[in-house]
Amino acid sequence: MSLLQKTIRADVQATQAYVVAPSAGMLKLDAMENPQGMPAALLDELAQALKAAELNRYPAPKALELETALRACTAIPKAAHVLFGNGSDELIDLIIRACCMPGDVVMSPVPTFVMYAVYSQWSHARFVGVDLNPDFSLNMPAMLKAISANQPKVVFLAYPNNPTGVALREAEIVQIIEATPGLVVVDEAYEAFADASFMARVLEFSNVLVLRTFSKLGLAGARLGYAVASPAWVEQIDKVRPPYNVNVLTRIAVQFALEHFDAFNAQAKLLRDQRSVLTAALKTLRTPNGDVEVFDSYANFVLFRMPDALEVFEALKNKGILVKYVGKGHPLLQNCLRVTVSTETENQQFLKAVQQSIDEVASKAA
């Protein structure tokens, strides 16, 4: 056994780093990014704002100006506190580390965002996934039974869920909150596309935190997420936050975006409108080996199931179009693909290519 093998944790050696598919020169529809980018009319103004950044200084301990801008355009309860992270991914990690000792349980319905389980593993917590129903709705009896049996320290509820796009009902969230002995995190990464939020009720219960990110709105490269909860929860989670975790360029860029938030809301509306068009078009796809099953989405992506999904995925990639094959993620996702909602032009390019890919796969099998 080598020195490295003796030193690095066995569970780290047994896994792989998070894989990001190469996308140079591709139509990238695999990562739920906003395809529209910063509105062109604002780019010069943003450049001037970034020019003023004091890169020779550490960021201020609290991003107070950023928080003020956030509260001005987001319905955060006045008495709630805000904690910023380097993307919501970092905040998920911080929440688990703040709450869990080795062996403690983190729980979520599955399939869901894979990083809940990954960060649980790195904190030596035990992740318990509760299978959704075949239509990706919540299996409430199973969820409540698992909560009772495992007494989780943290329950994550993606609202709406990734990769399914399905949203919980608010009454279901309340039922889980009332049954959970620990913290319930309502992860609203796709809130801009969902027309539903638990934010207004975050202080109504003693064990709730709402998590959001700017990544889906068009600032994925800035890497900023934020958690909203009662002051007591934020105070404790803040203790495990690395100092200066949100850099000055991110703070300036996101504050600038918040001051021009109407432009980003308009982009989100365009994507919501295109989601309806894309969903309807996917339901018309023809395949000789069975129907295409399309799941209604409340996010900025659409999940659909078809025969030979992996072969269709590869055929699309050969055409320069990158979607996400999620069929290996969970048995309920067998033969499923997930596509990001994009502009009308890019959506039509994808729809033409996916039908061509279906036909090519069918002809090869004949």
Side-chain angles (χ1 to χ4, degrees), residues 37-61:
M38 179 73 69
L42 301 177
L43 286 174
D44 288 343
E45 194 176 341
L46 172 61
Q48 290 303 311
L50 292 171
K51 234 172 119 176
E54 293 186 325
L55 295 178
N56 59 316
R57 304 293 184 189
Y58 288 113

Side-chain angles (χ1 to χ4, degrees), residues 2-327:
S2 70
L3 175 62
L4 182 146
Q5 289 172 317
K6 289 188 291 185
T7 306
I8 299 293
R9 284 167 44 176
D11 60 337
V12 173
Q13 295 183 54
T15 191
Q16 294 182 333
Y18 188 87
V19 177
V20 177
S23 60
M26 307 277 281
L27 174 55
K28 196 171 187 301
L29 302 176
D30 67 326
M32 294 85 74
E33 298 150 322
N34 180 349
Q36 300 161 99
M38 179 73 69
L42 301 177
L43 286 174
D44 288 343
E45 194 176 341
L46 172 61
Q48 290 303 311
L50 292 171
K51 234 172 119 176
E54 293 186 325
L55 295 178
N56 59 316
R57 304 293 184 189
Y58 288 113
K62 302 290 184 181
L64 297 179
E65 292 181 354
L66 176 60
E67 182 176 337
T68 298
L70 176 65
R71 288 180 180 272
C73 59
T74 309
I76 296 173
K78 187 176 181 180
H81 281 202
V82 177
L83 183 65
F84 291 107
N86 184 12
S88 58
D89 292 69
E90 182 184 42
L91 291 166
I92 293 167
D93 186 26
L94 296 181
I95 289 164
I96 294 170
R97 283 200 276 140
C99 294
C100 294
M101 293 290 288
D104 285 341
V105 170
V106 175
M107 186 177 292
S108 181
V110 290
T112 192
F113 185 43
V114 297
M115 299 310 291
Y116 303 152
V118 170
Y119 288 129
S120 299
Q121 178 183 349
W122 300 148
S123 286
H124 298 286
R126 182 165 64 92
F127 181 79
V128 175
V130 181
D131 284 354
L132 295 167
N133 293 317
D135 64 353
F136 300 127
S137 62
L138 183 66
N139 185 336
M140 183 60 82
M143 192 73 190
L144 294 178
K145 182 178 179 180
I147 290 170
S148 177
N150 292 280
Q151 296 292 292
K153 282 289 193 75
V154 185
V155 173
F156 285 98
L157 300 175
Y159 182 53
N161 190 32
N162 169 26
T164 66
V166 176
L168 297 169
R169 294 190 294 271
E170 189 168 309
E172 293 175 324
I173 296 175
V174 171
Q175 197 171 353
I176 290 170
I177 291 167
E178 292 176 342
T180 299
L183 179 65
V184 176
V185 178
V186 183
D187 186 349
E188 297 190 347
Y190 302 93
E191 178 272 336
F193 312 99
D195 194 29
S197 171
F198 207 76
M199 183 68 80
R201 304 185 69 180
V202 69
L203 297 181
E204 185 179 331
F205 307 90
S206 62
N207 61 332
V208 176
L209 180 149
V210 171
L211 188 64
R212 287 187 182 175
T213 177
F214 289 96
S215 294
K216 316 310 174 188
L217 276 170
L219 297 168
R223 305 305 298 131
L224 187 73
Y226 62 98
V228 177
S230 69
W233 282 107
V234 171
E235 178 185 2
Q236 295 303 315
I237 296 167
D238 190 39
K239 292 177 181 179
V240 297
R241 176 182 60 85
Y244 315 119
N245 63 322
V246 178
N247 70 77
V248 293
L249 295 176
T250 288
R251 294 185 186 195
I252 291 170
V254 175
Q255 183 176 331
F256 177 85
L258 288 167
E259 291 165 356
H260 300 85
F261 211 51
D262 287 349
F264 291 90
N265 282 333
Q267 290 185 345
K269 183 183 183 306
L270 183 148
L271 293 177
R272 291 195 300 270
D273 293 343
Q274 283 298 311
R275 178 181 64 198
S276 299
V277 176
L278 179 62
T279 299
L282 284 169
K283 290 178 179 179
T284 69
L285 289 176
R286 307 179 310 278
T287 168
N289 298 321
D291 294 336
V292 176
E293 185 178 11
V294 184
F295 298 92
D296 290 333
S297 173
Y298 293 88
N300 65 337
F301 59 82
V302 180
L303 184 78
F304 59 104
R305 178 181 285 120
M306 63 166 55
D308 306 314
L310 182 57
E311 290 80 1
V312 172
F313 164 78
E314 294 292 348
L316 280 168
K317 193 160 65 170
N318 291 336
K319 291 177 172 56
I321 298 177
L322 192 61
V323 300
K324 185 77 170 180
Y325 174 70
V326 297

